[in-house]
Structures are given as C-alpha cells and as structure tokens.
Amino acid sequence: MGTPIIQIRNLMKTYKLGGETVRALNDVSIEIDKGEFLAIIGPSGSGKSTLMNMIGCLDLPESGTYLLDGKDIGKMNDNQLAVIRNQKIGFIFQNFNLLTKLSALENVELPLLYAGIPAKERREKSLESLEKVGLRERAGHLPTQLSGGQQQRVAIARALAGNPSILLADEPTGALDSKTSQEILYLIQELNELGHTIILITHDLTIAQQAKRMVSIQDGQLQENGGELIGNMAIY
C-alpha cells in the first residue's frame, strides 16, 4: 500500500444535453493506491458512470490529467487505450455481459483471445480463473444453465483472466438477490486480499460500506469519505 496506481488531477468532462451544457465531471482529483479497495458512491446522474469510463480508459477527459501506473492516459490513441484496457483493467458489469452461445470457459477465454494468447495457455489461464471463483466444474455450462450468481462469477473470472492490476466493478450486485450479492461481495473482498486493486461503483450505501475506503460523487464533484453527501444518498 502507499504506491499510487491511479493519479487523477482536475479532471473535467462536459456533455451537451438539450441545448444545455452539463458538467459530468467538475474538477475531479483523486489518488488510488495499488491494492486498495475503493467504493465510489453516487445517485443516478451524479457523474459516477462518466468517472468509471475515464478510469477504465473508455473515454478521455477534456482537461486535467489521468496517470495510470505513471502513464498519461490523455495522450494515448485508441489502439494504445485498447492495449491498456486489455492488460491493466478487468471489467465487471451489472448485467454480466456474457455471450449466451459460449460456455463459461469460452466466455472467460475471450479477452485472452483478443490479446493473442495461444490456445493451450488461454485454456489453462481461464480454468485457473474459474477455479478462483469456485466454478471450474461448471466450465462447460452455457450461461443459461447457470444461476445469476454463477453468471456473475463467470464474469469475474473473465475479468481476472488477463491478471489485471485493477478490477473495475460497476454495480456488480445490481442484478442479484441480497444473499447472492453478499457472496459476490465476499469474493471481491477475497480478490482484494490477493492484491487486486478494486474500484467499486455503486449507488447503494450498504454495498459501498464493504470497501475499505469510500468517496461520494454528486453533480460531478468528488468528496472523500462520503461526508454529508452520503447522508442524502442512503435512501433510493
């Protein structure tokens, strides 16, 4: 701990909406250390999805700087950003985003296929990832043959397959019941203990409190430790 993996300074992002200019991110600055488990909490429209897209190298800021492992993301072209996403960041989405015609193993293999990893190594790494999430024995099953919780575990295994330093989890329990949500959160905590940096995006205070550090975002502005903002966000 103590070594920043992410350094964001004075990030700005605006959108045009119905003739108005909306500041999705308004002078956002944050440092995230290697091995941290951080929750970013905010209501719908607060800017948290925009911030997630920035951190995940899916979008670039209008101004400000974003250093990932010391590299300036704002100066990269699309190909360089794609390489960074593939090597450094594992994405976990609310709706799993699994391909229904592919088995659990084939879904996990996909990012490795895009990275050009040979078939034998790809298979080994993917089975290892499924083992980490407790689903190796379901490798041959299609998503439709798995429960919601198992599908999210496959999605987590896919995020882990390339051994990224950062796991970016966007409402990872949003489509799950409370018992399954808790199981997925325990798994995410275990992955953090194994050394992965976890950034959890959520609107739910109960979920955010599972993290070791929490920041809140509202109207595109970030506030450390939640502050008063969280008091206004506890009910949805």
Side-chain angles (χ1 to χ4, degrees):
M1 296 294 270
T3 310
I5 191 169
I6 285 172
Q7 293 165 290
I8 287 172
R9 289 276 173 276
N10 311 113
L11 224 56
M12 302 286 284
K13 185 74 177 180
T14 55
Y15 293 108
K16 289 270 188 276
L17 198 62
E20 282 184 40
T21 300
V22 177
R23 282 192 172 178
L25 294 178
N26 188 4
D27 200 29
V28 167
S29 296
I30 188 171
E31 282 199 356
I32 302 168
D33 286 344
K34 200 167 272 190
E36 260 206 90
F37 183 1
L38 172 77
I40 300 171
I41 182 171
S44 181
S46 60
K48 65 182 188 297
S49 296
T50 306
L51 182 56
M52 188 203 78
N53 288 341
M54 295 287 171
I55 293 172
C57 303
L58 295 163
D59 199 359
L60 293 173
E62 281 157 30
S63 63
T65 55
Y66 171 21
L67 302 183
L68 175 58
D69 262 347
K71 296 193 176 87
D72 191 340
I73 297 302
K75 292 182 176 163
M76 294 188 178
N77 62 33
D78 287 349
N79 287 342
Q80 290 169 316
L81 289 171
V83 169
I84 289 276
R85 282 195 301 270
N86 216 352
Q87 291 177 352
K88 301 267 185 194
I89 302 164
F91 293 90
I92 305 165
F93 300 100
Q94 177 174 339
N95 296 320
F96 323 135
N97 289 6
L98 300 177
L99 296 180
T100 52
K101 291 183 176 170
L102 298 185
S103 68
L105 179 62
E106 289 165 336
N107 267 289
V108 175
E109 281 184 312
L110 269 184
L112 302 178
L113 181 66
Y114 294 140
I117 289 169
K120 185 172 181 290
E121 189 186 341
R122 205 163 65 220
R123 187 181 178 84
E124 282 168 10
K125 281 178 184 286
S126 300
L127 285 170
E128 218 172 275
S129 283
L130 283 168
E131 179 87 49
K132 274 187 190 170
V133 302
L135 277 186
R136 190 182 173 118
E137 76 288 353
R138 309 300 293 270
H141 288 66
L142 295 171
T144 49
Q145 298 169 313
L146 301 170
S147 69
Q150 287 170 332
Q151 288 183 58
Q152 189 58 297
R153 283 171 184 268
V154 172
I156 292 170
R158 178 184 57 197
L160 286 172
N163 197 30
S165 37
I166 298 167
L167 288 177
L168 199 50
D170 182 18
E171 302 280 8
T173 61
L176 305 172
D177 62 55
S178 56
K179 179 177 177 289
T180 312
S181 293
Q182 200 51 59
E183 287 169 6
I184 293 297
L185 285 167
Y186 284 146
L187 174 59
I188 289 171
Q189 284 167 337
E190 281 170 23
L191 294 171
N192 176 237
E193 279 156 27
L194 289 172
H196 291 281
T197 305
I198 312 277
I199 302 168
L200 175 68
I201 317 281
T202 184
H203 70 275
D204 187 328
L205 183 58
T206 316
I207 304 290
Q209 285 170 333
Q210 314 279 323
K212 291 175 182 165
R213 176 182 164 208
M214 183 163 47
V215 296
S216 61
I217 186 165
Q218 196 151 354
D219 300 324
Q221 292 186 303
L222 213 57
Q223 192 161 316
E224 192 74 34
N225 300 327
E228 298 82 50
L229 290 182
I230 281 185
N232 301 327
M233 285 195 267
I235 301 162
Y236 290 95

